Amino acid sequence: MSHELRSPLNAVLGYSDSIRQNVFGPLENAKYMEYVEHIHQSGTHLLGLISDILDISSIEAGAIHLSDDIENVKDLVVDSIELLRPTASEKHVNLNQNIADDLPLIRVDRMRIKQALINLLTNAIKFTESGGKVTLEAES
């Protein structure tokens, strides 16, 4: 199911991104650029929804394998924030972290916890007005 949904959507995203970047030259009508931006944003959103649905289906089917990693919370947060800093900057949102240095190591699936942090931060950025700030804090 994953391949059948993602492949055509990846084509839409790839082509729309090529148009956005004017790979074959600029578009004559500015309205087309607005449309292609909407197409790309909607496709990106849809791809995220599809991934979430497929993840939930895998969990419900017991087909998901979780890693058993020992991780530093601060490292996970800093990595997630740095990944989203360009998105926050584009929206003029100040992105910060305030993580205590004395937090114990945690046992988690690194990929899944980063996915959760990125989802939380993405939503915080999305719903913060331009000029605002998002701060992720953790203490023991």
Side-chain angles (χ1 to χ4, degrees), residues 22-50:
N22 295 312
V23 170
F24 298 109
L27 294 173
E28 299 283 326
N29 187 322
K31 197 71 172 167
Y32 288 139
M33 188 56 89
E34 180 184 330
Y35 289 170
V36 80
E37 187 63 35
H38 288 301
I39 291 167
H40 192 78
Q41 287 175 358
S42 296
T44 301
H45 179 70
L46 185 56
L47 185 59
L49 290 173
I50 289 168

Side-chain angles (χ1 to χ4, degrees), residues 55-99:
D55 284 348
I56 290 168
S57 296
S58 294
I59 291 168
E60 288 176 348
I64 197 160
H65 172 72
L66 298 176
S67 296
D68 191 19
D69 307 318
I70 304 294
E71 296 290 337
N72 179 307
V73 173
K74 191 166 195 164
D75 291 344
L76 292 167
V77 169
V78 168
D79 288 352
S80 301
I81 284 180
E82 289 310 312
L83 184 69
L84 292 172
R85 195 167 298 286
T87 304
S89 180
E90 248 178 51
K91 193 170 175 207
H92 305 288
V93 170
N94 191 0
L95 192 54
N96 303 301
Q97 57 89 11
N98 184 15
I99 309 299

